[in-house]
Amino acid sequence: MADDEKSTKQVIQLAEICRVEGHAAVDVTIDNGKIESVKLNVFEGTRFFERIVLGHKYDEMPLITSRVCAICSTGHVLAAIFAIERAFGFEPCHRELLYRELMHLGMIIESHATHICALALPDFLKTPDILDFATKHPVEFDTWTQLRKLGAAIQTTIGGRPFHPVNLHVGRLSSYPGSDKLTPILTSLNNHREMAINLANVVLSLKPPMDKTTETSYLALVPRGDHYGYFGSEVKSTDGWHCSINEYKEYLSEVVVPYSHAKKSSSRGQTFMVGAMARLALFGDRLGEDARAIYQKSPLAAGSKNTVLNNLAQAIELVEAIQRAIRITETLINLDNADKMVEDVTGEHSDFCHQPPFVARAGESAGAVECPRGTLYHYYKIDDKGTITSADMVTPSAQNTARIEADIRVVVEEQMGKVSENELTSNLETLVRAYDPCNTCATHMVQVKFK
């Protein structure tokens, strides 16, 4: 082959992205100085939850689907419960929702603290691994362990365990923690409020290693009520539309790609992003005082879409989660104390929901929650015997995969030839980690063909 005919093909290969949940690799092929392809290969072992649940009863779904992921098991449990309750036409009472929200906030606190401190901060503090990070930055390491324990304590109090909860069911909890169990949680939340604010200010001071990523649309659930939150039945887009989650197949498209065990998603033909940045872009005006003060002085409030700022978005949500959890815990303690006063006077135990139990019936519906990484959908079709006949789960990490590839393309185009190969590789890892991808969740929906 003549010299001028020699291939100029170059491959940037990240054999495995470390410090993320599950396994994934990145391959960027460059030909004659132009990017030929970008492939995010999620090679986590295949899982088949949509098939596994078929033939099981509706009340088994929370326990089975919590095994999709340990990190966000609470999110899967609640998405399943909401979907089934909607299929039955059942609306849980306000106090039930407060217990569920407190449980969910425990997951947000634990997951965000782990991602920010243990997975993302080592990139910016130039520590090669968690052991070096713990040795050189004991304050930040201690912040992680304390906030993670706080999130785990909340989930244990409400759900019975720090992950894979056993106390949450369709209709209601098995048992409701009273003021004696909630008061220590409230004390711990108040004790860690300032710590979360300090962590957010540390993350606010960090500069992303790239100037820009792709312009994109954001999707997030419209929170119930008028506060910043994670439960809802409608999705809103920064493109100006909103839809019921039961219409998710009309605004979300998923395709199987040959090089990855995770599907790629698009919304109305375009890549998009879900997660903390999306929630803040759409509902940042609902933040409480502590989180709003940090958000308003951040590039996020000015409209920056640099994906690495997702670390900061999660840090702001961590502050908000503690603030909101304090309010909920105070409310539940006051309600429990009021119930006890009534019981002392009447001698009768109060059933606080004052509503008839649900009636299992044939139906179908989607349910959704905002997990740490974005919107999680569960869909079930149930027959008149309460058996699951069809199921679908769309995870946030799978929804983000197409935009991750688009972001990688932009960063390689911007930095190739301007920084060393080692620096470019490091910056790409920082970029992917900023999504906080949960690759274990993402691989459960690979298409299966039975012949």
Side-chain angles (χ1 to χ4, degrees):
M1 181 181 291
D3 287 345
D4 58 353
E5 294 177 338
K6 287 182 178 177
S7 171
T8 60
K9 191 164 288 189
Q10 177 187 359
V11 176
I12 300 174
Q13 186 174 58
L14 283 65
E16 178 155 4
I17 307 292
C18 63
R19 299 208 310 274
V20 297
E21 210 290 326
H23 302 288
V26 170
D27 287 295
V28 183
T29 303
I30 304 163
D31 194 7
N32 289 321
K34 293 185 178 180
I35 298 175
E36 184 177 274
S37 67
V38 177
K39 296 178 179 177
L40 176 68
N41 173 13
V42 178
F43 56 89
E44 184 75 27
T46 52
R47 308 165 81 203
F48 308 101
F49 272 90
E50 286 99 332
R51 181 70 186 179
I52 290 171
V53 301
L54 300 185
H56 285 269
K57 296 296 185 182
Y58 71 87
D59 55 356
E60 297 177 273
M61 291 306 100
L63 294 174
I64 294 174
T65 59
S66 82
R67 263 62 182 181
V68 173
C69 180
I71 301 294
C72 40
S73 54
T74 291
H76 281 280
V77 167
L78 289 173
I81 288 174
F82 282 131
I84 294 166
E85 288 177 345
R86 283 167 59 87
F88 291 163
F90 177 79
E91 179 67 23
C93 70
H94 178 65
R95 196 155 156 188
E96 179 78 30
L97 288 172
L98 288 179
Y99 274 105
R100 292 180 185 179
E101 186 179 356
L102 182 57
M103 176 79 184
H104 196 80
L105 291 172
M107 175 189 65
I108 294 290
I109 293 168
E110 181 179 17
S111 181
H112 278 2
T114 298
H115 174 246
I116 295 164
C117 296
L119 307 181
L121 271 185
D123 284 338
F124 297 91
L125 300 178
K126 305 303 178 187
T127 53
D129 53 51
I130 193 68
L131 291 177
D132 195 60
F133 172 70
T135 303
K136 294 179 178 176
H137 302 281
V139 173
E140 288 77 11
F141 185 79
D142 183 59
T143 296
W144 169 42
T145 57
Q146 289 201 43
L147 292 175
R148 184 178 61 82
K149 287 179 181 176
L150 171 61
I154 293 171
Q155 292 178 91
T156 301
T157 300
I158 308 298
R161 297 200 296 206
F163 47 84
H164 301 317
V166 294
N167 196 36
L168 279 67
H169 307 282
V170 177
R172 59 184 301 164
L173 273 64
S174 294
S175 63
Y176 294 87
S179 56
D180 57 328
K181 292 185 172 61
L182 293 172
T183 299
I185 293 296
L186 179 59
T187 301
S188 186
L189 284 164
N190 281 310
N191 289 342
H192 289 91
R193 172 176 164 268
E194 202 62 36
M195 176 179 281
I197 293 173
N198 291 338
L199 176 62
N201 282 314
V202 168
V203 181
L204 179 63
S205 69
L206 305 175
K207 185 179 184 303
M210 66 282 301
D211 293 330
K212 65 175 183 178
T213 53
T214 55
E215 289 296 314
T216 192
S217 301
Y218 293 125
L219 271 62
L221 287 179
V222 180
R224 288 174 182 256
D226 58 0
H227 58 83
Y228 193 86
Y230 300 88
F231 299 164
S233 57
E234 288 191 336
V235 160
K236 186 175 181 179
S237 165
T238 49
D239 289 339
W241 56 265
H242 68 276
C243 291
S244 164
I245 56 172
N246 274 337
E247 301 173 272
Y248 74 96
K249 289 187 177 179
E250 296 180 16
Y251 60 81
L252 284 182
S253 299
E254 294 185 295
V255 295
V256 175
V257 293
Y259 54 82
S260 176
H261 288 174
K263 292 179 180 177
K264 286 175 64 174
S265 300
S266 62
S267 176
R268 303 184 173 180
Q270 303 294 322
T271 62
F272 64 99
M273 184 178 182
V274 294
M277 283 184 71
R279 293 189 287 261
L280 287 178
L282 286 160
F283 305 108
D285 59 340
R286 297 191 183 195
L287 291 169
E289 182 180 359
D290 291 346
R292 186 170 62 248
I294 302 168
Y295 174 65
Q296 287 180 337
K297 60 185 177 183
S298 77
L300 295 165
S304 175
K305 294 185 177 178
N306 189 321
T307 301
V308 176
L309 294 175
N310 195 51
N311 301 319
L312 174 60
Q314 288 195 348
I316 293 170
E317 283 195 335
L318 183 52
V319 174
E320 175 67 16
I322 289 179
Q323 198 171 9
R324 173 72 183 159
I326 288 172
R327 287 197 294 271
I328 292 174
T329 310
E330 288 173 339
T331 300
L332 290 173
I333 289 172
N334 290 336
L335 289 170
D336 185 62
N337 288 335
D339 284 348
K340 287 175 178 172
M341 290 180 64
V342 171
E343 288 176 31
D344 287 343
V345 172
T346 65
E348 295 180 359
H349 176 71
S350 171
D351 184 2
F352 60 77
C353 277
H354 303 295
Q355 68 179 143
F358 67 86
V359 177
R361 64 187 189 194
E364 60 182 306
S365 182
V369 296
E370 285 290 331
C371 277
R373 296 151 191 86
T375 317
L376 168 67
Y377 301 83
H378 278 216
Y379 160 85
Y380 300 103
K381 187 173 184 180
I382 307 166
D383 68 14
D384 57 4
K385 296 179 181 177
T387 303
I388 303 298
T389 59
S390 180
D392 190 20
M393 301 172 199
V394 183
T395 65
S397 292
Q399 293 173 65
N400 282 334
T401 54
R403 185 169 185 255
I404 293 175
E405 292 182 346
D407 273 355
I408 291 171
R409 181 180 290 272
V410 168
V411 172
V412 172
E413 287 175 344
E414 179 191 3
Q415 298 192 348
M416 188 171 55
K418 298 178 182 176
V419 302
S420 68
E421 290 186 5
N422 286 339
E423 186 175 354
L424 177 55
T425 300
S426 174
N427 290 345
L428 291 178
E429 289 193 53
T430 299
L431 171 67
V432 175
R433 266 194 288 275
Y435 279 90
D436 190 15
C438 184
N439 297 313
T440 305
C441 278
T443 56
H444 72 95
M445 72 289 287
V446 167
Q447 187 179 51
V448 184
K449 293 183 179 180
F450 295 90
K451 294 183 178 180

